[in-house]
Amino acid sequence: MPLAIRRRKKRRQIIFMSKKQIPSHALTPSERLEALISTTGNSKKNSKVRDRTDRFEKADQEEPLSEDDSLFFCSSKSNMATDGPQVPSLFTSLPPIRDTLGTETSKLQDSTARECLPFMRGVAERKKSPWDLNEHGVPSLERQKHVAFLHSSLGGLPAGFVGIDSSRPWMLYWALTGLSLLGEDVSQYRERVIYTLSPMQNPDGGFGGGHGQMSHCASSYASILSLAMVGGEEALSLVDRKMLWRWLGSLKQRDGGFQVCVGGEEDVRGAFCSMVMISLLNLPLDLPLDSAARVNRDDTFLTGLPEYLSRCQTFEGGISGAPGTEAHGAYAFCALACLCILGEPHKMLARYLNLPLLISWLSARQYAPESGFAGRTNKLVDGCYSHWVGGCWPLVEAALNGPQSVIGRPPPNVGSLYSREGLIRYILCCCQGNKGGLRDKPSKHPDSYHSCYVLAGLSSAQHYYYFQEHDASQLAAPLSSAFHWASSQIIPASDGEEQPSVFDTEDRVNLIHPIYVIPWGVAERTRAWYEAKAKF
């Protein structure tokens, strides 16, 4: 909004001109956007922003603005802030090309974009000034608040949480992963994790979601990863590997896939969780003799699995939970990571998936101005997809770049195929709760689930992953490909130059493993421990 400055009675004053006095063609896009936001939108947070702007416009011209008000207004006009951070217009304006047909979906998308815009522009929170942002207009990571939030999630919880009693192993996994990424030593929880998970392991070898509940792939996956993160002889010895192997054999299906529980649904979650457990615990690949999937003598857990995952790719290019269903970001990650456990990414992904079509679908999941990821076509941005979709990109990029000996050698065939900057901006601007924890979007409450996967996505965006060059002997052991990844804080472009970052150095989080989604080094340490154990 244009303003004129004049002196009256030795006081510097700001006078706002009415929109009616200004021809529409004289307004910049950001000014037209501000006018739109000031008259529309449903978010309570946006209404507070509009209320303050309206107060400025209606204020008596003789009354000087307070220092806080002046800072707020000037920071809300990115085109006028000559000495403040300059945020690219891609992240501060609605898309220039818009469908004129209004639908429920498009209205929800517009509402979400307007909800996020004040946060992307750094004007949503009254307590913050332009000096709380770095030179790129990005706020800092509220590390200690998030640490406190995640520690509290491992303590006593309100009675309402009884509704997710079947997710107890997941709540451990989410909190421990988030804390590890923030630099906390989670071995302090070793005894409590062992005490909590011991009664959840059933006689069949699998883990239930709570005491007395049936074994499930998802809860077994979360339990084993939690034990791996706290580490130690007692924690790793808790897993009954032989019975778990037999139970996984009962989940294997003749078409190549896995059920998530005995008699349950068959989908890519079951395949991914099963292969994580088999590879991490160094379980035999041979199927138990009593497995219904053992048709031929040489059938293994791997028989038909990559073909099953291939059939889950949809006409859109994304990957669904099962053949013939809708593509979804979380299923895409599960399928890609599963293929990368089975073999080298540049071989497995190119052989079993239509990569150009997959890249097209993944690219469509990130849209401006929010710049986070949505999980499905015509769905809204959600912080958790910072991992579920964002975590697909390192695997795809590694498949296209091929093995590398060291960072940048040979130079990558492709640079970043998604906007790392956009994702980092969404996470740091829109996903941080005021009192700690990370969230879906500004209008949602933080929780440990989103805290885990938002931080995992942030770690992935802040680091470069590549598959290491090797000789044949290094991959002689079954399922060893997943343990030959390397990383760097330098993000190389296809021309060999380093990509700049928009976050401050102290806001870098720890490395996440691109396949196992646990802190870097934990997977290798756990696999080595079980390799040293005698075979059952």
Side-chain angles (χ1 to χ4, degrees):
M1 180 183 297
L3 57 84
I5 300 177
R6 72 179 185 184
R7 292 192 177 274
R8 176 179 296 176
K9 297 181 181 179
K10 299 182 179 180
R11 291 186 299 183
R12 186 179 178 88
Q13 300 185 12
I14 300 178
I15 302 173
F16 299 97
M17 301 171 64
S18 167
K19 281 284 189 291
K20 295 180 180 179
Q21 297 175 288
I22 307 171
S24 60
H25 66 271
L27 299 175
T28 66
S30 62
E31 290 168 345
R32 290 196 294 272
L33 173 63
E34 187 68 25
L36 182 62
I37 293 177
S38 68
T39 56
T40 60
N42 300 317
S43 169
K44 292 182 178 180
K45 292 183 180 295
N46 285 353
S47 67
K48 293 180 179 179
V49 175
R50 295 195 304 274
D51 289 344
R52 294 197 70 195
T53 305
D54 292 341
R55 180 161 57 85
F56 297 150
E57 294 177 343
K58 297 176 182 179
D60 180 20
Q61 295 180 1
E62 296 294 324
E63 177 185 354
L65 294 175
S66 69
E67 181 179 3
D68 177 61
D69 286 345
S70 298
L71 289 175
F72 172 87
F73 184 77
C74 291
S75 67
S76 71
K77 300 293 183 285
S78 58
N79 60 304
M80 290 159 40
T82 58
D83 57 350
Q86 296 293 307
V87 181
S89 60
L90 175 66
F91 310 114
T92 60
S93 304
L94 292 173
I97 301 176
R98 299 166 58 76
D99 193 335
T100 56
L101 176 63
T103 65
E104 181 179 356
T105 299
S106 65
K107 291 175 183 177
L108 285 172
Q109 171 56 33
D110 286 349
S111 176
T112 301
R114 293 191 180 101
E115 173 187 331
C116 295
L117 275 171
F119 291 86
M120 298 295 287
R121 298 177 67 188
V123 301
E125 298 177 84
R126 180 172 183 173
K127 295 180 180 179
K128 291 187 176 181
S129 74
W131 285 273
D132 293 313
L133 310 176
N134 67 12
E135 61 180 319
H136 305 287
V138 177
S140 61
L141 178 69
E142 301 283 356
R143 187 181 299 266
Q144 294 309 312
K145 288 184 179 180
H146 304 323
V147 166
F149 178 88
L150 288 169
H151 277 306
S152 68
S153 73
L154 291 172
L157 298 172
F161 277 82
V162 71
I164 56 171
D165 180 64
S166 60
S167 297
R168 293 178 68 185
W170 279 112
M171 295 181 74
L172 290 177
Y173 166 76
W174 296 330
L176 294 174
T177 302
L179 288 169
S180 296
L181 291 175
L182 293 170
E184 293 291 290
D185 180 7
V186 298
S187 64
Q188 62 183 292
Y189 288 106
R190 182 179 295 133
E191 291 185 6
R192 289 179 57 192
V193 168
I194 294 171
Y195 178 80
T196 299
L197 294 179
S198 292
M200 295 185 191
Q201 185 172 208
N202 293 313
D204 61 11
F207 288 79
H211 298 169
Q213 298 179 19
M214 68 182 298
S215 298
H216 195 284
C217 252
S219 52
S220 298
Y221 164 94
S223 297
I224 288 170
L225 293 186
S226 297
L227 291 167
M229 280 188 279
V230 297
E233 182 88 13
E234 186 179 1
L236 298 181
S237 298
L238 176 64
V239 182
D240 187 336
R241 294 168 64 228
K242 184 174 183 179
M243 292 307 298
L244 180 68
W245 170 72
R246 295 192 63 177
W247 176 68
L248 290 172
S250 70
L251 302 182
K252 176 70 177 178
Q253 302 297 297
R254 293 187 178 184
D255 65 356
F258 287 79
Q259 291 179 332
V260 295
C261 61
V262 175
E265 63 267 37
E266 177 187 3
D267 59 39
V268 297
R269 295 175 303 156
F272 171 62
C273 292
S274 296
M275 293 315 301
V276 163
M277 290 185 279
I278 291 171
S279 61
L280 206 59
L281 302 177
N282 193 34
L283 300 180
L285 292 182
D286 294 330
L287 284 169
L289 294 177
D290 59 353
S291 172
R294 189 183 177 101
V295 178
N296 302 308
R297 181 184 303 178
D298 57 351
D299 283 343
T300 71
F301 279 105
L302 310 186
T303 302
L305 179 53
E307 291 81 7
Y308 172 81
L309 297 173
S310 178
R311 294 195 297 273
C312 291
Q313 187 168 24
T314 74
F315 71 95
E316 291 183 283
I319 299 173
S320 59
T325 56
E326 183 184 11
H328 189 285
Y331 294 138
F333 175 81
C334 288
L336 290 172
C338 190
L339 287 171
C340 289
I341 292 175
L342 298 178
E344 302 163 74
H346 56 289
K347 294 180 180 179
M348 297 300 294
L349 270 58
R351 180 177 180 181
Y352 292 103
L353 296 174
N354 182 331
L355 275 179
L357 200 59
L358 173 64
I359 291 170
S360 174
W361 183 84
L362 287 172
S363 299
R365 304 283 70 76
Q366 185 178 32
Y367 23 83
E370 313 99 287
S371 301
F373 288 108
R376 290 180 284 166
T377 301
N378 286 335
K379 291 295 183 178
L380 304 176
V381 65
D382 185 332
C384 71
Y385 295 112
S386 302
H387 161 67
W388 292 121
V389 176
C392 292
W393 284 117
L395 310 182
V396 171
E397 290 170 0
L400 297 176
N401 288 328
Q404 294 178 275
S405 57
V406 294
I407 177 68
R409 294 184 183 179
N413 297 320
V414 296
S416 294
L417 295 179
Y418 71 105
S419 175
R420 293 175 185 265
E421 175 183 347
L423 179 59
I424 291 171
R425 285 184 181 276
Y426 179 73
I427 289 173
L428 295 179
C429 293
C430 297
C431 293
Q432 299 194 82
N434 292 331
K435 297 182 179 179
L438 295 110
R439 59 198 179 194
D440 166 351
K441 54 178 67 72
S443 59
K444 303 296 184 179
H445 294 292
D447 55 59
S448 57
Y449 166 82
H450 284 91
S451 297
C452 168
Y453 291 121
V454 170
L455 288 171
L458 180 61
S459 176
S460 180
Q462 291 177 334
H463 299 91
Y464 175 72
Y465 295 91
Y466 59 99
F467 189 73
Q468 290 181 300
E469 283 187 345
H470 53 273
D471 55 44
S473 62
Q474 292 176 299
L475 295 182
L479 306 182
S480 58
S481 293
F483 304 97
H484 282 79
W485 287 76
S487 64
S488 171
Q489 294 183 359
I490 299 174
I491 312 294
S494 56
D495 59 3
E497 297 294 324
E498 178 181 350
Q499 293 186 23
S501 60
V502 296
F503 62 93
D504 294 334
T505 303
E506 60 267 25
D507 293 331
R508 186 183 297 275
V509 297
N510 288 345
L511 269 168
I512 193 79
H513 194 287
I515 294 173
Y516 293 103
V517 202
I518 49 180
W520 192 263
V522 172
E524 291 77 8
R525 183 175 69 239
T526 303
R527 166 81 175 207
W529 190 89
Y530 285 111
E531 283 180 335
K533 301 292 288 184
K535 293 186 177 180
F536 53 79

